[in-house]
Amino acid sequence: MLSRRNFLTAAVGVAAAGGLTACAKKDDNSSGSSSGGSKTITLGFSQVGSESGWRSANTTSVKDAAKEAGYNLKFSDAQQKQENQISAIRSYIAQKVDVIAFSPVVVTGWDAVLKEAKAAKIPVVLTDRSVETSDDSLYVTLVGSDFTDEGRRAGKILEKVLEKAGHKGPVKIAQLEGTTGAAPAIERAKGFKEVMDAGHKDDWKIVVSQTGDFTRAGGKQVMAAFLQSNPDINVLFAHNDDMAIGAIQSIEAAGKKPGKDILIVSIDGVKDGFVAMSEGKINAIVECNPLLGPQLMDTVKKVKAGETVERWIKTKEGDFMQDQAKAALPSRKY
């Protein structure tokens, strides 16, 4: 569905401040000087928003890493609106930044503004999420995670969760999807379905699926509706921890025990997710590391220098179950 050819994945990080953009939320502006007296690299970065704990950690990583690298970072928060990101990118083009990076709200609708950046000879690096474009040369590379594989891993770890719980009979799954049209929502659902289709056509069924927009409030609201229409749900697959945490509130309000009456598998691995897992309310989490800042800054440096960047660097991410949660909690930095 989505091209992963120009795909760079990262694992560690921290990054720096900055801000401005037409129509988007204004943030602080930060600048620094490069070592050796060379010209400071100016990076325009448009973030999706601040919808989740993962996103907040990712923003901090980008800001801290830019500061550490001595880059002049112009940062904008798109508040989950594509039009804000397009305005921000056009603002960066007008300011003649050295490199533009952004985490796309959705996968489609970018060709026009990317062509404008290419015409201005400003290279574009995607972070976290991919896009669908008519011309792959409109962006240099992608620093992010393999969301399809995360979906597959969620399906595989659900097999272990069901086995450990001694579950017998049909598996009735509720799926809390991420933002409609966003790469992680599309690809995590795709990977999970691959596992279902390959080995569980007869016993697993997604009985209800709807977007919770990657937010706790969305997860809570949608899960409450799920339980009204399908009270016999026994598994929840949430595309991120924040939606799972919101869903837990609705499950408990309905008089059910999360992690027991309804088994829960989610993706991200933010600290609050691990807390819920240590309490037995989430059964398993597939990690998606948000600390992309240092890898992004290294990529920006190579792109600015005209170097060839790597196409794919696999992130070392883990899969965690309840019995591992307490041991892993002290190491959670996000």
Side-chain angles (χ1 to χ4, degrees):
M1 178 181 294
L2 295 178
S3 169
R4 311 300 290 180
R5 286 177 295 171
N6 293 343
F7 199 163
L8 219 112
T9 313
V12 287
V14 259
L20 106 52
T21 190
C23 301
K25 178 180 174 183
K26 193 172 183 179
D27 204 304
D28 53 324
N29 218 1
S30 168
S31 62
S33 58
S34 300
S35 60
S38 59
K39 180 180 180 293
T40 299
I41 292 174
T42 297
L43 170 65
F45 181 82
S46 176
Q47 181 62 282
V48 171
S50 53
E51 76 283 356
S52 64
W54 191 100
R55 189 63 55 191
S56 297
N58 179 246
T59 292
T60 298
S61 177
V62 171
K63 289 182 174 182
D64 288 350
K67 185 175 182 179
E68 178 70 20
Y71 295 172
N72 176 26
L73 178 68
K74 295 181 178 293
F75 179 91
S76 65
D77 178 345
Q79 301 175 315
Q80 293 185 280
K81 295 179 180 179
Q82 185 179 32
E83 59 267 30
N84 287 352
Q85 286 198 304
I86 290 172
S87 293
I89 293 167
R90 286 183 171 143
S91 172
Y92 297 149
I93 293 169
Q95 294 174 66
K96 300 180 180 180
V97 301
D98 295 303
V99 180
I100 292 171
F102 74 108
S103 181
V105 176
V106 293
V107 298
T108 59
W110 302 103
D111 277 22
V113 73
L114 291 179
K115 286 177 181 177
E116 292 171 26
K118 186 175 182 179
K121 297 182 180 180
I122 300 174
V124 175
V125 175
L126 304 181
T127 70
D128 176 38
R129 301 177 177 186
S130 58
V131 300
E132 288 180 349
T133 177
S134 61
D135 179 0
D136 284 346
S137 72
L138 294 179
Y139 63 92
V140 178
T141 191
L142 166 64
V143 179
S145 297
D146 187 341
F147 300 131
T148 302
D149 188 58
E150 289 173 355
R152 293 188 196 106
R153 286 159 51 202
K156 290 294 185 182
I157 206 166
L158 177 57
E159 293 174 334
K160 296 178 182 178
V161 167
L162 290 164
E163 181 181 358
K164 186 173 181 179
H167 180 85
K168 304 295 181 184
V171 178
K172 298 182 178 181
I173 304 169
Q175 180 174 230
L176 276 169
E177 305 167 23
T179 303
T180 301
I186 295 168
E187 297 176 24
R188 286 170 181 170
K190 176 186 175 184
F192 187 82
K193 190 174 185 300
E194 285 179 10
V195 174
M196 284 184 57
D197 290 348
H200 301 283
K201 284 185 177 180
D202 297 329
D203 55 332
W204 291 16
K205 183 179 180 181
I206 296 177
V207 296
V208 63
S209 183
Q210 186 177 322
T211 179
D213 217 21
F214 283 129
T215 67
R216 293 191 191 191
K220 180 180 180 180
Q221 180 180 358
V222 175
M223 190 66 195
F226 284 173
L227 291 168
Q228 287 286 329
S229 61
N230 294 272
D232 57 348
I233 293 165
N234 49 33
V235 168
L236 169 65
F237 169 42
H239 286 188
N240 79 340
D241 291 346
D242 279 80
M243 290 190 296
I245 292 166
I248 285 168
Q249 298 176 46
S250 291
I251 292 168
E252 291 177 330
K256 296 178 182 287
K257 292 183 178 180
K260 293 184 178 180
D261 297 328
I262 298 179
L263 304 174
I264 301 176
V265 172
S266 67
I267 298 176
D268 270 359
V270 298
K271 190 164 186 176
D272 286 353
F274 268 71
V275 170
M277 191 162 55
S278 72
E279 295 170 346
K281 296 180 180 181
I282 293 178
N283 301 84
I285 293 175
V286 173
E287 183 182 23
C288 177
N289 199 308
L291 307 182
L292 306 180
Q295 193 72 52
L296 173 60
M297 300 311 146
D298 182 60
T299 302
V300 167
K301 181 180 179 180
K302 290 178 179 178
V303 168
K304 177 59 179 170
E307 297 179 27
T308 300
V309 297
E310 298 171 75
R311 293 300 187 185
W312 189 311
I313 298 175
K314 288 251 183 184
T315 298
K316 288 186 178 180
E317 297 171 333
D319 298 340
F320 300 89
M321 294 182 68
Q322 280 178 359
D323 53 2
Q324 300 170 280
K326 289 183 180 179
L329 249 180
S331 65
R332 285 291 98 183
K333 303 301 182 186
Y334 51 88

